[in-house]
Amino acid sequence: MELNVDTLRKIKLFQTLNDNDLKEVLPLIKEEPFPRKTGIFSEGDSPDWFFIVLEGKVKITKISHDGKEIILEIIKDNEPFGAIAVLNGFPYPANAAAMEDSVVLRLSRADLMRILDRFPGLMQAMMQDLGSRIKDSHEAMKSIALEKVGSRIAALLLKLSQQMGEDTPDGRRITIKLTKQDIAEMVGTTVETSIRTMSRFKKMGLVVEKDGRIVIPDPSALESF
């Protein structure tokens, strides 16, 4: 995909800018491909770059004390990541890696600070995005602390079906490919428990798998669970 003003206009963060503003920002942005499973940054790295997913999916992860990877968030196309560390000047607090073949835009910290000063509306849009992210993170932590595993997995699947799903004749299809390990890492459980729970959901008719993707035939039934 050619990086141009039309490309930037589709990114929610930049929708406060007019075409002349976007032309000013465009030369500062670099485009980089990341094959599946390739790391983008690691926890503790210097916050030199602010990122936006142009194509694909990026996972934000932490490593637990016992060495297990925990997926904190999945960033889909046209969404930013790395902002908190870049704005505050402290090391990235988590890891980022391509969950599938992805194309990522990056903007240096120095250039980001300049354009935020130049375009105050951009800062407001970024703060709104960060506020929404923090709310989602709080809800996820509360879920892990208070809800049973089955409820956590059901809530996760419903959330992903809303954020990155599409309607099909068979039901709501999650467009990203999820392994049982991915699901376990996102709800804070073991792979074995994830496998057992998904098997139970299938037997109950709450989910089906087609072409490596999870389909929810009736989201209201899964929500009731």
Side-chain angles (χ1 to χ4, degrees), residues 14 41 57 103 122 149 177 186 205:
F14 293 133
F41 58 73
K57 303 287 187 299
V103 178
L122 193 60
V149 172
K177 187 173 183 179
M186 294 178 77

Side-chain angles (χ1 to χ4, degrees), residues 43-131:
E43 181 176 357
D45 285 352
S46 176
D48 297 327
W49 298 95
F50 168 71
F51 300 92
I52 299 171
V53 177
L54 185 61
E55 296 176 354
K57 303 287 187 299
V58 169
K59 61 179 179 178
I60 308 299
T61 67
K62 293 275 282 187
I63 304 299
S64 67
H65 292 299
D66 55 2
K68 293 180 180 177
E69 184 180 68
I70 300 170
I71 298 177
L72 304 177
E73 190 178 9
I74 296 176
I75 313 298
K76 62 182 187 295
D77 52 329
N78 294 333
E79 289 187 345
F81 62 102
I84 292 178
V86 172
L87 290 175
N88 289 278
F90 55 66
Y92 294 118
N95 311 292
M99 202 168 187
E100 59 188 37
D101 290 346
S102 302
V103 178
V104 172
L105 305 181
R106 57 190 178 100
L107 180 67
S108 75
R109 182 171 187 267
D111 286 336
L112 176 65
M113 294 306 185
R114 276 196 290 271
I115 67 171
L116 288 178
D117 185 58
R118 174 88 170 80
F119 307 113
L122 193 60
M123 173 62 88
Q124 183 178 357
M126 188 174 290
M127 290 301 100
Q128 289 175 343
D129 178 77
L130 287 176

